[in-house]
Amino acid sequence: MSTRDDYITTLNFSQLCGQYLSLWQFSILEISFVCVETEIYPMAGQTDPHVSLFSPEEVEFMAEDELVEIVPNMNMEPLNFIAGDFGRFIPQIPIQVPLWLAVALKRRGKCTFRPPGWLSVDNLTQVLEAEREPQSKFQALPFSYVEIARLLFDHARDDIPDMYMVRSLVEDIRDVRLHKLENNLGTFLGTSAVKMENVSAMEVNLVRPFARRALEAFYKHDKPEVVADRNTRSSRQPREANDEPRRPLRQR
Amino acid sequence: MASSSDMGSADFESLSSTSDVELLKRAWRNEKAAPEILPYEGDLVERAKGQIELVEENIEAYVENGIDPLVVSLYQMDLDRTQFLLRSYLRVRLLKIEKFMFHSLKSEEAESRLSEQEKVFARRCADDLAKHFEESVLRKLPENYQSVLKQSLISEVDDMVPEPHLDTFVVCRSKSHFTLNLYEEGESTQTEEMDRGDLYFIRYKIVKGAIESGKMDLI
């Protein structure tokens, strides 16, 4: 049992450490899960990852509706989109628009970005320090910070002061958080609900398949017994001895 | 086009003004993440279709009138985004219908979640599949094993029908503070307090009611 879990965790770790995963890479992970865990799933209950999983592009699509501030440099009439109405564009007057609209305007040279407050060197350094503390929870970051940061870096380099510094900070934060996620996943001991605070959209999407299968396996094995509900994300109480009537499935 | 702009972050829908695109996005997200088919949002789809057609006509008019191509391309982008949401929503539902064909036709309750066209599609699909099975395999099996739905005549339930796996864990987020019973009736009651905006990995069965009533969102 333990070697299998090590196998799964090693796979997972290598996947998490990669860059944005393509759906192709996900299917490799899923195939390996199926090979390893086939005895657990009866035919009728096979979960199809492709129906429920979001591709990274879709996660980005969802993030593109976030509002950001831009400063247009031209005049334009109000736009009446299905998504909403966006007011007159007057040069030098900042206005809030969805991210996709802002990127489109920026690519045609019609505006400049005002970087969001959380995307500054000071704030990010602070967040990084806090994340690096051992046993800390996830810091509060916007839900789609990965996507927003990436789009801004791709299209609006000159609008962000200290761009290289900010970019390396964001990447460091991502690495630390992914590492923390991966460690936390290893402390599951069969819960019925796992609370995750301040985890961003892309990170949720990454761990979703693994965590889902792990939790399902735990649930299947633990069903008749009372399972203590725990908040595994705040690793301040990593593995306290709850009065669990059954032996833990994994010893680490 | 009576749409209203989003207020603040697009993640938390404000109580008063929620645009159709937001609702469609929410329906699409929930549908993608849920293991079974959710009730069909007929009104929303109709409204969205109406708006899309309107915008398509507008764009054609703009192009003829020679309006600034930038504006036209922006309208086109918005149109593409909404169309993608609508199409993906319908596509995900069709995929689920194909997967759980016989199951969705079995009970009244399951059938009521489909739209009219989806019901027609499901019935035709099921008929075709049943016919295919019968002609290629089932006729050649011994008498007791010829049913499409049951393994053999001795089975009490339709055990050849795949059912949606309601015990899947899903990621969800609540829109307001409320408590949730972690187990079903009869098992131990353990409640969990959910604050607004916290993410939870939880069994789908437990949050099913909350999602359908709109209190929680699947991520």
Side-chain angles (χ1 to χ4, degrees):
Chain A
M1 183 63 124
S2 59
T3 38
R4 180 170 85 180
D5 298 324
D6 288 337
Y7 174 63
I8 297 178
T9 321
T10 335
L11 261 183
N12 193 47
F13 181 82
S14 58
Q15 291 289 351
L16 282 182
C17 281
Q19 293 302 311
Y20 291 96
L21 298 181
S22 67
L23 202 56
W24 174 77
Q25 277 171 294
F26 263 126
S27 26
I28 295 230
L29 196 55
E30 294 300 336
I31 290 172
S32 46
F33 276 131
V34 167
C35 297
V36 168
E37 295 189 23
T38 16
E39 63 264 33
I40 297 186
Y41 295 102
M43 174 206 91
Q46 195 85 50
T47 45
D48 182 3
H50 298 287
V51 174
S52 57
L53 205 57
F54 293 100
S55 73
E57 291 84 13
E58 285 167 346
V59 180
E60 194 179 44
F61 179 80
M62 289 200 288
E64 280 175 344
D65 281 325
E66 295 276 344
L67 291 177
V68 289
E69 210 169 334
I70 58 163
V71 179
N73 56 15
M74 45 62 193
N75 261 313
M76 209 159 67
E77 291 293 317
L79 297 169
N80 299 324
F81 289 148
I82 306 178
D85 300 325
F86 303 105
R88 295 196 64 90
F89 293 85
I90 305 176
Q92 313 310 324
I93 308 276
I95 185 172
Q96 298 236 335
V97 291
L99 190 53
W100 61 270
L101 181 58
V103 168
L105 287 175
K106 173 73 185 179
R107 285 172 67 171
R108 292 166 174 82
K110 303 282 182 188
C111 71
T112 58
F113 268 95
R114 278 253 205 99
W118 56 269
L119 199 68
S120 66
V121 176
D122 299 325
N123 189 37
L124 289 177
T125 336
Q126 210 177 8
V127 167
L128 185 59
E129 304 262 328
E131 293 268 359
R132 279 207 171 129
E133 305 249 316
Q135 307 295 323
S136 65
K137 304 205 291 190
F138 288 97
Q139 296 306 306
L141 278 176
F143 188 59
S144 320
Y145 79 95
V146 178
E147 297 88 272
I148 298 180
R150 180 148 171 272
L151 280 172
L152 286 184
F153 291 145
D154 283 345
H155 299 286
R157 302 230 152 140
D158 36 348
D159 293 332
I160 308 176
D162 296 327
M163 207 270 306
Y164 291 107
M165 186 67 186
V166 171
R167 182 152 82 165
S168 77
L169 278 173
V170 169
E171 287 184 7
D172 287 342
I173 291 180
R174 266 191 74 211
D175 284 337
V176 172
R177 284 168 69 105
L178 285 177
H179 191 75
K180 226 193 287 193
L181 261 181
E182 202 269 337
N183 284 338
N184 274 336
L185 289 178
T187 63
F188 276 11
L189 266 192
T191 59
S192 51
V194 176
K195 180 170 163 188
M196 295 181 290
E197 285 183 36
N198 292 326
V199 184
S200 77
M202 202 56 107
E203 290 155 6
V204 162
N205 204 32
L206 280 178
V207 302
R208 196 204 315 259
F210 173 72
R212 205 177 64 186
R213 300 230 175 193
L215 285 169
E216 276 175 35
F218 279 126
Y219 177 68
K220 272 199 160 56
H221 294 300
D222 289 342
K223 219 175 355 188
E225 287 143 327
V226 173
V227 176
D229 174 46
R230 304 145 47 112
N231 179 353
T232 60
R233 284 298 160 181
S234 78
S235 32
R236 288 219 174 93
Q237 332 123 296
R239 309 202 15 217
E240 81 243 8
N242 269 325
D243 45 12
E244 286 152 353
R246 49 148 187 69
R247 59 168 174 78
L249 287 179
R250 253 201 301 203
Q251 294 296 337
R252 276 270 169 115
Chain B
M1 271 197 297
S3 58
S4 41
S5 43
D6 296 321
M7 303 195 309
S9 153
D11 271 321
F12 298 130
E13 297 162 15
S14 45
L15 289 167
S16 42
S17 61
T18 311
S19 70
D20 273 348
V21 168
E22 269 301 304
L23 288 174
L24 195 58
K25 195 162 94 155
R26 180 175 174 265
W28 170 67
R29 222 165 40 188
N30 285 351
E31 195 74 55
K32 262 218 154 190
E36 57 164 5
I37 296 198
L38 301 174
Y40 182 63
E41 307 261 354
D43 298 332
L44 179 60
V45 170
E46 287 307 314
R47 286 203 311 263
K49 261 174 38 180
Q51 287 181 355
I52 288 179
E53 283 166 9
L54 200 64
V55 170
E56 276 176 350
E57 289 171 10
N58 280 349
I59 289 189
E60 285 178 18
Y62 287 160
V63 169
E64 283 175 13
N65 293 345
I67 302 249
D68 185 15
L70 166 67
V71 173
V72 175
S73 73
L74 292 180
Y75 275 103
Q76 185 70 45
M77 275 178 74
D78 176 59
L79 180 72
D80 287 339
R81 286 177 69 88
T82 318
Q83 270 181 335
F84 168 72
L85 279 179
L86 186 61
R87 285 176 182 157
S88 198
Y89 174 66
L90 294 173
R91 212 173 276 157
V92 168
R93 289 179 66 91
L94 283 182
L95 220 96
K96 282 194 201 169
I97 291 180
E98 279 182 18
K99 241 175 82 172
F100 302 119
M101 229 180 297
F102 294 113
H103 172 83
S104 44
L105 291 177
K106 250 180 12 174
S107 65
E108 272 305 308
E109 198 260 336
E111 249 195 285
S112 65
R113 292 172 177 215
L114 309 175
S115 74
E116 282 312 310
Q117 295 116 321
E118 285 170 354
K119 281 188 203 157
V120 169
F121 170 71
R123 280 198 202 110
R124 269 179 30 202
C125 236
D127 288 341
D128 286 342
L129 200 64
K131 208 168 88 166
H132 169 70
F133 281 152
E134 274 170 29
E135 287 181 5
S136 49
V137 176
L138 291 176
R139 280 213 199 127
K140 310 187 178 142
L141 292 178
E143 274 284 333
N144 281 352
Y145 298 91
Q146 275 189 6
S147 154
V148 174
L149 300 176
K150 295 188 163 59
Q151 266 194 30
S152 73
L153 281 183
I154 347 175
S155 317
E156 290 155 359
V157 287
D158 294 338
D159 43 5
M160 286 306 278
V161 174
E163 305 230 328
H165 195 204
L166 291 180
D167 277 333
T168 314
F169 277 79
V170 290
V171 186
C172 58
R173 175 167 63 188
S174 74
K175 291 207 256 216
S176 53
H177 180 95
F178 70 103
T179 54
L180 192 63
N181 185 355
L182 275 186
Y183 290 94
E184 292 131 36
E185 328 269 320
E187 298 179 21
S188 66
T189 38
Q190 201 172 0
T191 51
E192 174 84 5
E193 298 238 338
M194 307 225 171
D195 282 321
R196 183 185 178 183
D198 282 338
L199 291 174
Y200 283 88
F201 255 109
I202 226 177
R203 260 187 307 144
Y204 175 72
K205 218 183 273 187
I206 297 175
V207 292
K208 194 166 119 116
I211 290 172
E212 288 178 3
S213 65
K215 281 200 276 189
M216 297 192 82
D217 267 347
L218 293 178
I219 300 286

